[in-house]
C-alpha cells in the first residue's frame, strides 16, 4: 500500500496461429502495461504486427448494426460480463448468424417506429405553424397567386417600422397577424418582379419564414382539426408498436448486449496486434506486469498455445535502459477500496516515480483529518455523507467522488462531536474537545502543532525516498536529514515555549551551536559529499568559491525559511474552522432578527435551513480547495518529486490508438 505494485518486464513470443487466444487472455487480465513498440528493437526496425483490415471493418459494421438495434429497441446499455474468451476469427461467424436472425424480426418494426415518429413530429411542427395564423386563412389560395408573391414569417416587433421603411419605394402590403412573445407574425404581399428587393428587406429585419405546404386544403381551422386527429391516430398506432418493441426488448435485449460486448472485445483484440512486434510467423509482446500475476499468466498462455509460446521475464534492475534512466518503470497503485478514490487527487499533482513512496494513503488520511477540522459539524457532515452515499449508489460515473464525499462527511461528523456542533447549534450536544470560537488561542496552537506533524511526516517520507533512490548527497541538504534536524530543533524549542512559557539559556545555546553547524554542513554539503566519495570538488567551484558560497547560502536560508512559512501556513486550518463557526453565528443572528420582527416559527427555521445549505455549498467547496492547497504545496512538496509514468492497462492503450 505504501509503495507501487512491484512489476516485472515480460516478453512473450507467440506463433501467429495463437495470437488471438493469447491476446484474449491479456485483455481479460488487463493488468499488462504494453511497452510502446517504438521503444523496442523490433519496432525501431519496422517489424510491426499486422491488422486484418477486412475482418476489422466487418467488426466495425457489426457493432454499428448492433447499436442501431439496441437504440431502436431502447435497451438500457448495461454491458454483461463475458463468460468465455473471444477469438475474433471464430467469433465472427456466430455474430453474423445471430445478428442476421434478430435483424429479420426487429428491423422492420424499428424502421416503422422511426417513420411513425417522423410523421408525428412533422404534424406537430405543422400545427405549431398553423396556430400562428388566422383561422379563416386558406393557405391554398396564397399558393395560387400568379403575379403576386407573399412571405409569411416572424420578425421582432421593433423591426416592423424598419421593414415598412425598406419597402416604402415599391408596391407592397404588410399584415400583422398575431404576436408571439417579442415577435410579430406578418404576411407580406408584393409583385414578383420586385421580389429580390423584398428578400433583401427580409434579411435586414431578420425575418424568419414560415413555410407552408402547397398541398394544404381548406381553412386553417379545418387543417388544424385534421392534423390533430391525425396525431391522435398516429399515437394509437405508436402504442401498439411500443408493445411489439417491448416484447422484442424482453426477448432479444440480453442477447444483443452480449453480442455487442463480444464484438467490442473482438475489435479490441484485433486492434491490439498493432502494438505487437512480428518476425515472420511469430508475434512478440513486450510489457510490464505485476509480479503476483506472472505465474497465472504464464500458466494460461502455455496451456492455450500447447507450450509453443516462449515467455521471458526480466527484473527491472537487469535492464540497462532502466538503470540508466532511459526507460521508466510504470507506476501501478495498489490501495484498499476506501483509499483508492484519492488516487485521482494524487494524479492531479503528478505520478510518483517507481522508487518513491506511494503518497495516496498519506493524502487520504491527512485530507480527511484536515477537512473534518475545518468543517466540523455533526449535522452538516451527515448531509455530506448521505449525498456521497447517493452518488456512490446512483451515479456510477462519479463513484470515486461519492466515496470521498462520504468519508469527508464522516470526518466532519466526528469533529462535530468533538466541537459539540449540530447544524451550528452548540447547546444540544456537549463538546468532547473544544468549541473553536470559545477557545481561539488553543485552536490556533492545535493547528500549528498539526502543521508540525504534517511537515515532519513529509520530511520523513523524503528521507525514505532519498535512501531508496540512493541520493545520499541529498541527506546533507535542507530537504534531507540536516534540514530536518534544524527544523525539529527549532520546533522543539517552540513547543517547549508553548507548553512551559519559557526556554532556558542552556537550551538556546545548544540550539545556536547545533544550528550553526547544521547550516555550515548544508552550505558545504556538495563538496563534503564529493570528498567523502574521494572525488574532486573542482567542478562545483567552476565559477569561483565565493560565487558558490553565496548561491549555496541563499539556497539554504530559502529552504529553511520555507519550513517555517509552511508551518505558519497551517494556521489556515484554524482560520477556516473559525470561519465555519462564524458563518453559523451570522445565520442565527439573521434568523433572530427575523424572529424579533414578527417572523416566528416557519420563517425562523427557513432561514436556518437555507443558511445551513449555503454553508454546506460555499464552505464545503472553499475548505476542499484549501485542504488541497495544503496537501500539494506544503505536504507533497516535501517528498513528492513525481516524473513517473502511470500504468496504462492493456485495453486502455488499445482504446487510445483506436480513438486516434
Amino acid at each position: 500500500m505504501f509503495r507501487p505494485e512491484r512489476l516485472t518486464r515480460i516478453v512473450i513470443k507467440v506463433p501467429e496461429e495463437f495470437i488471438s487466444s493469447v491476446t484474449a487472455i491479456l485483455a481479460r487480465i488487463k493488468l499488462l502495461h504494453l511497452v510502446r513498440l517504438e521503444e523496442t528493437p523490433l519496432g525501431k526496425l519496422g517489424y510491426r504486427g499486422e491488422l486484418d483490415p477486412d475482418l476489422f471493418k466487418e467488426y466495425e459494421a457489426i457493432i454499428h448494426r448492433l447499436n442501431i438495434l439496441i437504440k431502436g429497441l431502447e435497451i438500457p446499455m448495461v454491458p454483461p460480463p463475458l463468460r468465455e474468451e473471444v477469438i475474433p476469427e471464430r467469433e465472427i461467424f456466430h455474430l453474423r448468424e445471430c445478428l442476421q436472425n434478430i435483424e429479420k424480426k426487429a428491423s422492420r418494426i424499428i424502421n416503422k417506429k422511426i417513420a411513425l415518429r417522423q410523421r408525428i413530429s412533422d404534424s406537430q411542427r405543422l400545427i405549431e405553424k398553423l396556430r400562428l395564423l388566422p383561422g379563416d386563412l386558406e393557405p391554398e389560395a396564397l399558393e395560387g397567386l400568379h403575379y403576386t408573391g407573399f412571405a409569411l414569417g416572424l420578425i421582432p416587433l421593433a423591426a416592423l417600422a424598419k421593414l415598412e421603411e425598406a419597402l416604402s419605394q415599391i408596391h407592397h402590403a404588410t399584415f400583422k397577424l398575431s404576436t408571439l412573445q417579442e415577435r410579430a407574425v406578418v404576411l407580406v404581399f408584393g409583385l414578383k418582379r420586385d421580389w429580390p428587393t423584398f428578400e433583401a428587406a427580409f434579411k435586414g429585419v431578420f425575418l424568419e419564414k414560415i413555410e407552408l405546404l402547397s398541398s394544404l386544403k381548406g381553412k386553417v381551422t379545418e387543417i388544424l382539426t385534421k392534423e390533430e386527429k391525425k396525431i391522435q391516430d398516429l399515437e394509437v398506432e405508436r402504442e401498439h408498436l411500443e408493445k411489439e418493441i417491448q416484447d422484442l426488448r424482453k426477448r432479444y435485449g440480453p442477447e444483443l448486449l452480449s453480442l455487442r460486448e463480444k464484438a467490442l472485445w473482438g475489435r479490441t483484440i484485433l486492434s491490439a496486434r498493432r502494438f505487437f512486434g512480428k518476425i515472420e510467423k511469430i508475434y512478440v509482446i513486450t510489457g510490464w506486469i505485476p509480479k503476483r500475476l506472472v505465474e497465472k499468466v504464464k500458466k494460461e498462455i502455455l496451456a492455450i498455445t500447447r507450450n509453443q509460446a516462449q515467455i521471458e521475464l526480466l527484473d527491472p534492475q537487469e535492464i540497462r535502459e532502466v538503470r540508466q534512466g532511459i526507460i521508466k518503470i510504470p507506476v501501478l497503485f495498489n490501495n484498499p477500496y476506501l483509499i483508492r478514490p484519492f488516487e485521482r487527487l494524487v494524479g492531479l499533482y503528478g505520478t510518483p516515480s517507481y522508487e518513491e513512496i506511494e503518497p495516496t494513503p498519506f493524502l487520504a488520511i491527512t485530507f480527511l483529518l484536515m477537512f473534518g477540522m475545518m468543517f466540523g459539524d455533526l449535522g452538516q457532515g451527515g448531509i455530506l455523507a448521505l449525498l456521497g452515499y447517493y452518488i456512490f449508489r446512483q451515479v456510477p460515473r462519479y463513484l470515486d467522488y461519492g466515496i470521498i464525499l462520504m468519508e469527508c462527511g464522516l470526518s466532519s461528523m466526528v469533529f462535530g462531536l468533538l466541537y459539540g456542533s449540530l447544524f451550528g447549534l452548540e447547546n444540544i450536544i456537549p463538546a468532547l474537545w473544544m468549541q473553536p470560537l470559545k477557545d481561539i488561542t488553543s485552536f490556533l496552537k492545535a493547528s500549528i502543532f498539526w502543521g508540525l506533524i504534517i511537515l515532519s511526516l513529509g520530511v520523513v517520507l523524503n528521507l525514505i525516498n532519498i535512501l531508496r533512490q540512493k541520493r545520499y548527497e541529498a541527506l546533507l541538504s535542507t530537504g534531507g536529514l540536516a534540514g530536518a534536524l534544524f527544523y525539529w530543533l527549532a520546533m522543539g524549542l517552540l513547543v517547549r515555549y508553548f507548553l512551559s512559557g519559557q526556554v532556558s539559556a542552556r537550551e538556546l545555546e545548544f540550539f545556536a551551536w547545533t544550528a550553526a553547524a547544521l547550516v555550515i554542513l548544508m552550505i558545504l554539503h556538495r563538496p563534503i559529499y564529493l570528498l567523502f566519495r574521494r572525488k574532486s570538488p573542482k567542478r562545483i567551484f567552476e565559477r569561483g568559491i565565493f560565487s558558490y558560497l553565496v548561491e549555496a547560502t541563499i539556497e539554504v536560508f530559502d529552504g529553511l525559511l520555507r519550513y517555517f512559512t509552511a508551518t505558519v501556513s497551517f494556521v489556515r486550518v484554524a482560520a477556516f474552522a473559525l470561519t465555519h463557526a462564524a458563518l453559523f453565528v451570522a445565520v442565527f443572528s439573521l434568523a433572530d432578527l427575523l424572529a424579533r420582527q414578527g417572523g416566528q416559527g416557519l420563517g425562523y427555521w427557513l432561514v436556518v435551513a437555507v443558511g445551513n445549505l449555503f454553508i454546506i455549498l460555499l464552505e464545503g467547496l472553499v475548505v476542499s480547495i484549501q485542504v488541497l492547497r495544503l496537501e500539494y504545496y506544503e505536504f507533497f512538496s516535501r517528498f513528492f518529486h513525481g516524473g513517473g509514468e502511470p500504468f496504462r492497462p492493456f485495453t486502455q492503450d488499445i482504446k487510445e490508438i483506436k480513438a486516434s
Side-chain angles (χ1 to χ4, degrees):
M1 181 172 72
F2 297 111
R3 64 184 305 168
E5 183 93 41
R6 297 293 91 185
L7 304 179
T8 189
R9 182 83 166 260
I10 187 169
V11 180
I12 308 169
K13 298 176 183 178
V14 186
E16 186 174 11
E17 60 186 294
F18 299 111
I19 187 60
S20 292
S21 301
V22 172
T23 307
I25 292 172
L26 298 176
R28 173 169 49 80
I29 292 174
K30 294 183 181 179
L31 289 180
L32 173 71
H33 174 102
L34 286 171
V35 174
R36 298 203 176 272
L37 197 57
E38 58 268 19
E39 296 178 3
T40 66
L42 288 178
K44 293 176 182 177
L45 294 173
Y47 292 100
R48 294 174 174 268
E50 299 171 352
L51 175 69
D52 185 337
D54 295 331
L55 185 58
F56 185 81
K57 287 178 182 177
E58 186 169 2
Y59 267 95
E60 290 273 84
I62 285 175
I63 292 169
H64 178 68
R65 289 158 62 192
L66 285 167
N67 286 337
I68 290 174
L69 289 172
I70 290 170
K71 183 179 179 181
L73 296 178
E74 298 177 0
I75 300 170
M77 194 66 75
V78 183
L82 282 177
R83 303 295 182 186
E84 68 261 4
E85 304 288 359
V86 175
I87 311 301
E89 291 82 359
R90 295 204 302 260
E91 193 65 40
I92 192 66
F93 299 105
H94 176 250
L95 290 170
R96 287 172 186 162
E97 182 181 357
C98 293
L99 182 56
Q100 191 174 5
N101 291 335
I102 297 174
E103 281 181 331
K104 286 180 181 178
K105 298 173 182 178
S107 292
R108 180 185 60 83
I109 295 175
I110 291 174
N111 292 334
K112 188 176 179 181
K113 171 190 169 184
I114 294 172
L116 190 63
R117 185 179 293 168
Q118 184 62 45
R119 289 171 63 191
I120 292 173
S121 177
D122 290 343
S123 292
Q124 288 174 338
R125 284 198 296 270
L126 179 59
I127 287 173
E128 289 176 2
K129 293 177 183 178
L130 292 172
R131 284 177 176 164
L132 298 174
L133 306 178
D136 57 352
L137 182 67
E138 296 184 21
E140 184 183 13
L142 295 175
E143 296 291 345
L145 299 173
H146 295 290
Y147 301 105
T148 306
F150 77 95
L152 179 66
L154 295 162
I155 67 169
L157 288 171
L160 280 172
K162 185 178 179 181
L163 177 63
E164 286 293 335
E165 182 181 353
L167 300 176
S168 61
Q169 301 300 317
I170 56 176
H171 295 291
H172 73 282
T174 303
F175 300 94
K176 179 182 173 185
L177 303 179
S178 61
T179 302
L180 180 65
Q181 295 178 350
E182 296 297 322
R183 296 193 295 176
V185 181
V186 295
L187 180 59
V188 182
F189 291 96
L191 296 176
K192 288 186 177 181
R193 69 185 183 191
D194 298 328
W195 208 248
T197 305
F198 281 89
E199 291 292 347
F202 295 155
K203 288 182 180 179
V205 296
F206 305 103
L207 182 135
E208 180 185 338
K209 289 188 178 181
I210 300 173
E211 301 291 345
L212 295 176
L213 299 175
S214 59
S215 59
L216 296 175
K217 308 291 185 182
K219 296 181 179 181
V220 167
T221 51
E222 296 170 352
I223 299 171
L224 274 172
T225 303
K226 290 178 183 178
E227 290 298 321
E228 289 169 352
K229 178 65 169 60
K230 180 181 176 181
I231 287 179
Q232 291 176 0
D233 295 339
L234 291 174
E235 289 291 350
V236 172
E237 186 178 349
R238 185 164 70 171
E239 288 178 9
H240 292 300
L241 201 60
E242 285 294 339
K243 292 179 181 179
E244 294 184 59
I245 288 175
Q246 187 176 357
D247 293 338
L248 289 172
R249 184 164 55 243
K250 289 180 181 178
R251 184 176 178 183
Y252 295 115
E255 184 179 358
L256 283 170
L257 290 174
S258 177
L259 291 173
R260 182 179 182 274
E261 198 65 14
K262 290 178 180 179
L264 289 172
W265 272 107
R267 184 183 65 180
T268 296
I269 291 169
L270 287 172
S271 299
R273 295 178 189 176
R274 288 178 283 185
F275 283 89
F276 306 155
K278 187 183 182 186
I279 303 177
E280 296 181 351
K281 298 292 184 180
I282 301 296
Y283 276 89
V284 181
I285 305 169
T286 307
W288 296 94
I289 191 169
K291 288 185 176 180
R292 58 184 171 86
L293 295 178
V294 167
E295 289 304 318
K296 177 183 177 181
V297 172
K298 189 175 179 180
K299 182 179 178 181
E300 290 193 29
I301 291 176
L302 291 176
I304 202 72
T305 60
R306 299 192 291 273
N307 291 323
Q308 295 184 43
Q310 295 181 16
I311 299 176
E312 181 183 358
L313 301 173
L314 295 172
D315 188 84
Q317 296 307 316
E318 297 175 7
I319 303 171
R320 178 170 53 86
E321 291 86 350
V322 171
R323 295 196 302 270
Q324 294 175 348
I326 299 172
I327 293 179
K328 295 180 180 179
I329 307 172
V331 175
L332 174 63
F333 295 138
N334 184 23
N335 291 298
Y337 186 74
L338 294 178
I339 293 178
R340 200 172 302 153
F342 288 91
E343 292 173 5
R344 288 179 176 267
L345 301 182
V346 173
L348 294 175
Y349 188 84
T351 302
S353 65
Y354 186 72
E355 298 82 11
E356 280 188 303
I357 285 279
E358 212 277 81
T360 306
F362 303 102
L363 170 72
I365 294 169
T366 55
F367 184 97
L368 293 175
L369 287 174
M370 283 194 286
F371 187 92
M373 288 179 71
M374 294 189 196
F375 198 80
D377 186 88
L378 182 61
Q380 291 188 348
I383 290 177
L384 288 181
L386 289 174
L387 179 59
Y389 181 75
Y390 173 80
I391 295 172
F392 171 75
R393 299 287 298 186
Q394 302 297 328
V395 191
R397 182 179 178 184
Y398 298 108
L399 182 142
D400 286 348
Y401 297 111
I403 294 175
I404 293 175
L405 197 57
M406 271 195 295
E407 293 173 345
C408 286
L410 292 174
S411 178
S412 296
M413 292 174 70
V414 170
F415 278 91
L417 287 172
L418 295 176
Y419 299 158
S421 176
L422 176 66
F423 290 114
L425 299 168
E426 298 183 345
N427 55 356
I428 296 179
I429 55 175
L432 301 181
W433 181 29
M434 70 170 74
Q435 292 180 340
L437 281 179
K438 295 181 180 178
D439 200 351
I440 295 176
T441 303
S442 297
F443 201 66
L444 288 172
K445 290 180 180 179
S447 67
I448 293 289
F449 188 68
W450 172 250
L452 172 61
I453 294 173
I454 292 288
L455 292 178
S456 297
L457 176 61
V459 169
V460 170
L461 295 178
N462 189 47
L463 294 176
I464 295 173
N465 284 337
I466 289 172
L467 294 174
R468 278 188 179 179
Q469 297 168 347
K470 299 179 181 179
R471 297 184 290 110
Y472 302 120
E473 178 187 341
L475 286 173
L476 306 178
S477 67
T478 52
L481 183 60
L485 290 174
F486 185 98
Y487 175 64
W488 288 331
L489 282 171
M491 288 297 102
L493 286 178
L494 185 64
V495 170
R496 176 170 175 77
Y497 178 76
F498 276 150
L499 296 177
S500 64
Q502 61 181 1
V503 178
S504 68
R506 181 176 297 178
E507 290 169 337
L508 288 173
E509 183 181 359
F510 174 78
F511 171 74
W513 284 106
T514 307
L518 289 172
V519 168
I520 294 171
L521 179 62
M522 286 183 278
I523 292 173
L524 300 175
H525 79 276
R526 291 189 184 92
I528 289 173
Y529 179 75
L530 290 174
L531 290 172
F532 179 77
R533 294 289 303 273
R534 298 181 180 179
K535 294 182 179 180
S536 174
K538 289 183 179 179
R539 63 182 181 85
I540 63 173
F541 296 136
E542 290 178 353
R543 291 185 293 175
I545 296 177
F546 179 76
S547 177
Y548 168 80
L549 291 175
V550 171
E551 289 182 9
T553 302
I554 293 173
E555 287 179 7
V556 167
F557 280 97
D558 177 67
L560 295 177
L561 181 62
R562 282 192 287 118
Y563 273 114
F564 298 105
T565 56
T567 306
V568 173
S569 184
F570 279 86
V571 170
R572 72 184 63 229
V573 173
F576 281 94
L578 294 171
T579 301
H580 189 230
L583 285 173
F584 280 127
V585 173
V587 168
F588 283 107
S589 298
L590 184 61
D592 289 337
L593 179 63
L594 181 66
R596 286 196 296 269
Q597 294 180 353
Q600 291 283 0
L602 182 62
Y604 176 88
W605 292 110
L606 182 63
V607 170
V608 173
V610 172
N612 269 274
L613 179 62
F614 174 78
I615 293 173
I616 290 173
L617 295 176
L618 177 64
E619 189 70 6
L621 177 63
V622 172
V623 165
S624 300
I625 293 171
Q626 291 302 320
V627 172
L628 275 179
R629 188 233 173 251
L630 289 171
E631 294 285 356
Y632 288 164
Y633 293 101
E634 313 302 352
F635 182 46
F636 275 11
S637 62
R638 298 291 147 195
F639 69 97
F640 189 171
H641 300 289
E645 181 179 356
F647 187 95
R648 298 186 312 275
F650 180 74
T651 49
Q652 180 181 330
D653 263 336
I654 298 165
K655 288 176 182 176
E656 286 177 0
I657 196 171
K658 177 69 178 65
S660 62

